[in-house]
Amino acid sequence: MKPGYVIHPLGDHAAILQWEQEISMAIHQEVMKMYHCLHTSPSPYLLDLIPAYASLTIVYDAAQIRNNERVPGLQWLTAYIAKKIKTQEATTAPAPRELRIPVCYDPSLGPDITEMAASRNVTIADIIAWHSQTIYTVYLTGFLPGFPYMGKVCAALETPRRQQPRLQVPAGSVGIAGAQTGIYPLASPGGWNIIGQTPLRMFDATSADPCYCHPGDRVQFIPVTLEVFRQIQQEQ
C-alpha cells in the first residue's frame, strides 16, 4: 500500500506524518484512519497521538525504545508504521459523532456579523443561513483547550482574520477566519470574525471528557433566539 504521507522528526521524541497540505475531507479521513489504527492497537512506546487537518503527530518514548529495541526512536517508529499500514486497510474508523450546536447570531453576541453582511450587500439572515446550513467537520482542536477548527465555510463567507485582534473574546463565541469556522471555548484574545455565540460550555476541565468537540466530529449550528440562548445558558 502506498503510504500517501511523509514522516518527519519533530524533536527527539516525536514525529509528524504529513499528507498533502490542504483542507480536504478525503485527506482528513486518511489521518483519522491512521489515528484509529494506532489508537485501537497501541504500542506501549506511543505516548500521544494528535490528529490535525492533514497530519498526525506521534509522541513516543525514545528512552524505552532505545533501551528495549536498541534502535533510535524514529527508526523504530518508521518501521512500526510500515507494519501497521498492512493492517490499516482492514481498520474501520468509527462513525463520526453528529453534534447540533445552538448559536445565537444576535449582533450583541456577534459583533462582526453586521459588517460582514454589509460588505457583501446581503442581510444578516443571509449570513446566518450560509453559516448554519453547512455541516462542518472538526479537523483538530487546539490554540485554546478544546478550540475546534472546522471547515469549510461556503466561499461567500470566507473572511480574513481581523487586522486588529480583540483583547478579549467571550467564551462560546463563534468565529470565521478564512475558510474555517470555530468556537472559542474560553475567554481569550482573538482575531477571528465573531458572528454569534453558543450557550454551551465547550471546555470543562473538571469533566472526564473536557472537550465538547473532537477531531472527526460533524457539526451543524442551530440558530436560536437571544431568549433561548439565555435559557440554555442558565441551564448549563
Side-chain angles (χ1 to χ4, degrees), residues 60 65 70-81:
Y60 54 83
I65 293 173
R70 305 297 180 186
V71 294
L74 184 61
Q75 180 179 330
W76 173 85
L77 181 67
T78 301
Y80 181 75
I81 294 296

Side-chain angles (χ1 to χ4, degrees), residues 8-232:
H8 299 290
L10 193 64
D12 58 1
H13 62 283
I16 183 168
L17 277 59
Q18 287 187 331
W19 283 258
E20 187 174 354
Q21 295 298 289
E22 62 175 271
I23 301 177
S24 161
M25 175 74 80
I27 290 174
H28 188 65
Q29 287 175 340
E30 290 301 313
V31 174
M32 295 307 294
K33 192 175 176 181
M34 178 66 79
Y35 169 80
H36 286 290
C37 177
L38 299 177
H39 183 71
T40 53
S41 57
S43 163
Y45 299 142
L46 301 187
L47 304 180
D48 201 2
L49 303 169
I50 307 166
Y53 278 99
S55 68
L56 177 65
T57 296
I58 303 173
V59 182
Y60 54 83
D61 190 331
Q64 289 299 317
I65 293 173
R66 172 65 74 178
N67 288 338
N68 298 334
E69 306 297 334
R70 305 297 180 186
V71 294
L74 184 61
Q75 180 179 330
W76 173 85
L77 181 67
T78 301
Y80 181 75
I81 294 296
K83 290 180 182 177
K84 300 300 289 186
I85 285 291
K86 296 179 181 178
T87 61
Q88 187 193 21
E89 286 189 321
T91 300
T92 301
R97 297 190 309 164
E98 297 184 358
L99 306 177
R100 292 164 60 86
I101 297 179
V103 175
C104 179
Y105 293 92
D106 189 276
S108 63
L109 301 176
D112 294 318
I113 196 169
T114 301
E115 181 179 340
M116 287 181 62
S119 67
R120 292 162 173 78
N121 197 28
V122 299
T123 65
I124 289 178
D126 291 324
I127 301 293
I128 295 172
W130 290 342
H131 189 252
S132 61
Q133 290 177 0
T134 298
I135 296 177
Y136 302 98
T137 295
V138 177
Y139 285 99
L140 76 145
T141 57
F143 163 54
L144 294 170
F147 186 109
Y149 284 80
M150 295 177 271
K152 294 193 281 185
V153 299
C154 66
L157 271 183
E158 291 187 18
T159 310
R161 283 178 169 82
R162 291 171 50 83
Q163 290 188 351
Q164 184 67 45
R166 293 186 170 87
L167 295 178
Q168 187 81 339
V169 176
S173 293
V174 176
I176 291 176
Q180 306 169 103
T181 186
I183 308 171
Y184 285 80
L186 305 169
S188 81
W192 290 39
N193 303 275
I194 305 304
I195 62 170
Q197 190 176 133
T198 179
L200 300 185
R201 184 179 297 179
M202 304 304 295
F203 180 76
D204 181 359
T206 65
S207 172
D209 187 11
C211 299
Y212 191 89
C213 294
H214 301 153
D217 287 347
R218 305 296 304 280
V219 171
Q220 182 169 17
F221 295 111
I222 307 300
V224 299
T225 64
L226 195 55
E227 180 181 9
V228 171
F229 173 88
R230 299 298 185 200
Q231 181 180 350
I232 298 174

